[in-house]
Amino acid sequence: MTIDLRSCTGALAAFLSGILAALALTNPARMRWPVTEPQSKIDQWISSQSTSVVVGAIVAVGACAYLQHRGSRRRAWAFVYSGVVVLILIRFLVAEEVGLDLLSVLGFAKTIAAGLILGGAVAASWDSRLGRNLLIIGAVSTWLAAQSSTGDLMPVSTSSIGEPAWALLLLTLICAVACAVTDDSELRISESEPGVAAAALAVVTGLAVTQRILSSVVDRQENPPTFSGWLVMVASTVAVLTLTWFCVRRLDTTSGSGGFLWAATAVGAAATTVFADLTDRFFLDGDRTSPLVIAALAIIAVVFGLSRSRHRDRTIAGLALLAAIPLSEWIFDGEHELALLLRIVALGVGSGLLLGSVLPSNPVAATLGLTIPFTALVFMSIGQHEIETVSSTYVRHDPPSTYVEYNSELRAYVDASEPDAAFRAEAATIAYAYEAPPRSDGAALLMCVVVVATGIALRRRSPVDTPSPD
């Protein structure tokens, strides 16, 4: 059996691109690093991170639409390695002493680069079954695993999960350049149906911007939420589902690919309570399984789900599994580590089953669907309490050397430099953003309703649009 080195390189590049784009677009709502800035700037900085994800999603769909119009795979891979170069430059520029204004700018540059990577990788690899599946595995499993990132005090960066590893950046760059150089210029990207690009751009802009606005409204509710607060959250969820329904109808009139949008929405809703428990256990408590273990479980689960998604009846199985995940919150919580890991596996399998059963043939529609989990900001806001920012001032003075603990979440050191009785104080402010325990029961029920609603809408659709098995 001969091995097509060009195809293997392209598949590896698609897999790595999915991982890298997901790392750059994933924005867990938590930070754990010292910041010496006014409170107003800290609030603006936290807000800009979610906004930058919205911009990155729009760029991804726009880049894929442009590349499909041009038809060049080499140009698509050029988009990928250009985005990687930007991420490498950002990693060089980020330093501990960088200000929040520059961090915000670099955060937007990071998500724009991630949009170029995701859009380029989908455009270049969606016609290949192997490349398509590996891209989905890389993006979805990384999105799942990134939520369990370590909560230890870390240097300032553009993301609460840190910058991508050098090995991932360089390997992705090498593979993308190799694909751009060796790709067959006669093998073009398939042409799009008329109106698909415009419809997808309108949908991703409308959905992402609406999610961002409504999530900020939900985040401003009282903590814990009052009755009026829950009314706002329910109304926001209904608004998102209604807008998604209109968007699906718009996509179905052009390409019949709206089912992938419903499936991605169900995945984002089912993940809400799992991510909330990950925040509670793995971040606040400090007692956590290694993120590498969770990443391996997520990859295996998504691979298994995709491998079993070739038949249409797998849609029901995927929906049932996803709906059961938030309901399991009523039985288990974040204190049961094994149960939490099993829910992560179930989320990966359900995501693979559902997404794999309704894959669109058009890469622009596929890019739109892949951005939905990252921009499901309303669901994430409902699953988590509003981000709390705690500021504390500590004094560093000469004798004695003491370890000071302000509370279970915020600690600082008081150092000694000279053993004399003279007192010399140096004040510094530490801003520490953290997540409070999740709104488990109410959020679980609401997210289960969302999954059921998306399932009903998905099953009532008449268009069936799946890519060729090649």
Side-chain angles (χ1 to χ4, degrees):
M1 181 180 65
T2 60
I3 298 177
D4 188 347
L5 185 59
R6 181 186 299 169
S7 298
C8 292
T9 304
L12 178 59
F15 178 66
L16 296 174
S17 298
I19 294 176
L20 191 55
L23 282 175
L25 288 174
T26 298
N27 182 42
R30 57 186 187 270
M31 281 69 66
R32 195 184 181 107
W33 52 63
V35 179
T36 55
E37 294 282 358
Q39 186 66 46
S40 59
K41 278 196 172 183
I42 295 173
D43 294 337
Q44 293 174 1
W45 172 50
I46 293 173
S47 176
S48 70
Q49 296 192 35
S50 297
T51 306
S52 66
V53 174
V54 171
V55 174
I58 297 173
V59 170
V61 176
C64 188
Y66 168 78
L67 291 168
Q68 191 176 28
H69 173 70
R70 300 293 297 181
S72 172
R73 293 182 186 274
R74 288 184 176 179
R75 191 186 297 266
W77 289 119
F79 271 44
V80 173
Y81 67 68
S82 297
V84 177
V85 169
V86 172
L87 294 181
I88 291 175
L89 292 176
I90 291 173
R91 171 130 195 181
F92 273 117
L93 291 173
V94 171
E96 290 191 35
E97 64 273 8
V98 70
L100 293 187
D101 291 335
L102 180 57
L103 270 182
S104 297
V105 173
L106 293 178
F108 277 95
K110 179 192 70 174
T111 55
I112 291 173
L116 294 177
I117 294 171
L118 182 59
V122 173
S125 60
W126 201 252
D127 289 339
S128 166
R129 179 185 170 190
L130 177 61
R132 178 176 66 236
N133 287 342
L134 286 178
L135 176 61
I136 295 172
I137 293 168
V140 175
S141 62
T142 302
W143 171 66
L144 297 178
Q147 307 291 334
S148 64
S149 58
T150 178
D152 295 332
L153 192 66
M154 60 181 294
V156 175
S157 67
T158 59
S159 171
S160 55
I161 59 176
E163 306 302 324
W166 280 113
L168 176 61
L169 290 168
L170 295 177
L171 188 56
T172 308
L173 179 63
I174 293 172
C175 290
V177 171
C179 289
V181 172
T182 62
D183 217 336
D184 189 355
S185 59
E186 297 182 357
L187 189 60
R188 311 283 290 178
I189 300 173
S190 59
E191 295 184 4
S192 175
E193 299 91 337
V196 174
L201 278 171
V203 167
V204 71
T205 302
L207 274 177
V209 172
T210 301
Q211 288 264 13
R212 180 66 189 96
I213 294 173
L214 292 178
S215 68
S216 65
V217 174
V218 172
D219 286 338
R220 287 197 293 268
Q221 302 309 304
E222 294 184 21
N223 193 14
T226 60
F227 177 75
S228 61
W230 276 107
L231 284 180
V232 170
M233 288 185 280
V234 172
S236 299
T237 302
V238 172
V240 169
L241 290 176
T242 303
L243 181 58
T244 303
W245 179 75
F246 280 109
C247 292
V248 168
R249 292 193 64 182
R250 177 71 182 275
L251 287 175
D252 281 341
T253 59
T254 56
S255 65
S257 56
F260 197 56
L261 190 58
W262 278 127
T265 302
V267 170
T272 299
T273 55
V274 178
F275 290 170
D277 284 342
L278 282 171
T279 296
D280 185 30
R281 181 172 180 78
F282 292 86
F283 178 69
L284 292 180
D285 294 345
D287 182 13
R288 52 189 179 268
T289 302
S290 169
L292 294 178
V293 174
I294 295 181
L297 289 175
I299 291 175
I300 295 172
V302 176
V303 169
F304 179 82
L306 277 177
S307 66
R308 295 293 185 270
S309 64
R310 300 297 299 279
H311 302 92
R312 290 183 59 188
D313 57 353
R314 300 301 184 185
T315 304
I316 300 178
L319 285 168
L321 194 55
L322 292 179
I325 292 171
L327 288 182
S328 66
E329 183 74 20
W330 290 10
I331 304 174
F332 305 104
D333 56 29
E335 295 300 321
H336 299 80
E337 182 176 2
L338 180 58
L340 181 56
L341 295 178
L342 289 176
R343 290 164 64 201
I344 293 173
V345 172
L347 182 57
V349 174
S351 300
L353 282 172
L354 186 56
L355 294 176
S357 63
V358 292
L359 287 178
S361 59
N362 191 288
V364 178
T367 306
L368 168 62
L370 289 175
T371 63
I372 294 300
F374 304 103
T375 58
L377 303 174
V378 171
F379 299 156
M380 296 300 110
S381 294
I382 292 174
Q384 307 277 356
H385 275 290
E386 181 181 359
I387 298 176
E388 298 285 345
T389 303
V390 178
S391 297
S392 177
T393 300
Y394 68 90
V395 177
R396 182 184 302 128
H397 45 118
D398 293 340
S401 178
T402 311
Y403 177 80
V404 177
E405 179 175 317
Y406 289 93
N407 53 51
S408 60
E409 291 86 21
L410 183 62
R411 298 178 176 88
Y413 284 98
V414 177
D415 301 322
S417 57
E418 298 178 4
D420 55 46
F423 179 86
R424 180 169 54 86
E426 177 185 353
T429 299
I430 291 183
Y432 176 85
Y434 69 99
E435 291 291 349
R439 308 175 178 124
S440 55
D441 293 343
L445 179 59
L446 186 57
M447 291 303 103
C448 181
V449 171
V450 171
V451 176
V452 172
T454 57
I456 294 173
L458 186 60
R459 295 299 297 176
R460 286 185 174 180
R461 288 178 64 254
S462 55
V464 176
D465 178 44
T466 55
S468 60
D470 59 50

